[in-house]
Amino acid sequence: MPALGLDHSQVSVVAPVPAEEREDHFAVRHGVRCAGVHLIVDVHGGHGLNDIDLIEATLRRCVDAAQATLLHIHVHHFQPNGVSGVAVLAESHISIHTWPDIGYAALDLFMCGKADPDACIPVLRQAFKAKRIEVQELLRGQSA
Amino acid sequence: MPALGLDHSQVSVVAPVPAEEREDHFAVRHGVRCAGVHLIVDVHGGHGLNDIDLIEATLRRCVDAAQATLLHIHVHHFQPNGVSGVAVLAESHISIHTWPDIGYAALDLFMCGKADPDACIPVLRQAFKAKRIEVQELLRGQSA
């Protein structure tokens, strides 16, 4: 571990659930069939962005809100500040990277099947008391 | 583990390196200062997309090509087919999700600092013998 013990990782391998199949591993959005819905989310004016426990808990709340299935979660705290976190889902993934000194966090929420990434936005807004959240939607694999 | 033993995960916690700080945790791209460069990459007509070992090796080659620092890697094979993989980097992350039956893979390569995500594209093209690779570039956190 690094010098001051401030830089650390938290890894959880979640117990395998009975159905880890991607039952329907495509998604339908606005009537468009695609491999997955990918939300690119920018949090501005956020708070708590250096708090690894808050960030892990928020990722888990997002997974629940989206009705997704968590397979694996990894969060990492950097020195002097900043957190990276990734939740691997049966439906794809959620990632977050934070720049606490400027109140900014970059997330991406990628989900296929019936999981609902939109449901994560209010969770993020509330968790980080964000002044502004921008969401860009990409429908991945439309032509696939 | 699931029924047929085909659904499995590979997790590696990489030994901490001396410097896990994000030395320069911003990026400059085309003269624009941003929190990070995020490449949204679509692989069409790809091969080997159900091969978890190939995918893990390819993620590791991407990390090397980008001159990034790997902190953690997780790859997961789904039933009946499909692989999800995430590499957490000191410079952010790389993710991949594959739909082998249609030769499609969705990746995102998010890197801050001096890491070079463009260097991953030839690695992906060669590894998956892709017919076509589409790359969309997002400069995250420009207004931050």
Side-chain angles (χ1 to χ4, degrees), chain A residues 67-81:
Chain A
Q67 299 192 51
T69 302
L70 183 64
L71 298 181
H72 180 82
I73 190 165
H74 179 86
V75 286
H76 187 93
H77 183 260
F78 291 92
Q79 290 193 50
N81 58 33

Side-chain angles (χ1 to χ4, degrees), chain A residues 7-11 47 54 59 64-65 87 95 100 104 108 111 115 122 126 128 131 135:
Chain A
D7 187 327
H8 68 285
S9 292
Q10 296 175 190
V11 182
H47 300 269
L54 172 65
L59 287 178
D64 290 343
S95 81
Y104 174 70
D108 74 302
M111 299 191 194
Q126 191 251 342
F128 302 127
K131 192 180 289 182
V135 181

Side-chain angles (χ1 to χ4, degrees), chain A residues 1-3 7-9 11 13 16-18 20-22 25-26 35-36 38 40-42 44 71-74 76-93 95-102 104-108 110 112 132 134 136 138 140-144, chain B residues 1-2 7-9 11 13 16-22 25-26 35-36 38 40-42 44 71-74 76-93 95-102 104-108 110 112 132 134 136 138 140-144:
Chain A
M1 296 296 287
D7 187 327
H8 68 285
S9 292
V11 182
V13 178
V17 290
E20 287 188 20
E21 301 181 22
R22 294 192 292 189
H25 61 301
F26 289 86
H38 200 169
I40 306 297
V41 179
D42 294 287
H44 297 277
L71 298 181
H72 180 82
I73 190 165
H74 179 86
H76 187 93
H77 183 260
F78 291 92
Q79 290 193 50
N81 58 33
V83 174
S84 282
V86 175
V88 180
L89 312 175
E91 298 84 2
S92 291
H93 78 268
S95 81
I96 181 169
H97 306 286
T98 73
W99 284 256
D101 41 340
I102 56 170
Y104 174 70
L107 292 100
D108 74 302
F110 188 5
C112 60
R132 183 163 56 93
E134 291 174 9
Q136 181 178 353
L138 307 174
R140 306 290 302 271
Q142 284 184 68
S143 58
Chain B
M1 297 297 289
D7 188 326
H8 68 284
S9 292
V11 182
V13 178
V17 291
E20 287 188 20
E21 301 181 22
R22 295 192 292 190
H25 62 300
F26 289 87
H38 200 169
I40 306 298
V41 179
D42 294 287
H44 296 277
L71 298 181
H72 180 82
I73 190 165
H74 178 85
H76 187 92
H77 183 260
F78 292 91
Q79 291 192 49
N81 58 34
V83 174
S84 283
V86 175
V88 180
L89 312 175
E91 299 83 3
S92 292
H93 77 269
S95 81
I96 182 169
H97 305 287
T98 74
W99 283 256
D101 41 341
I102 55 169
Y104 174 70
L107 291 101
D108 74 302
F110 188 6
C112 60
R132 182 162 56 93
E134 291 174 9
Q136 181 178 351
L138 307 174
R140 306 289 303 272
Q142 284 184 66
S143 58

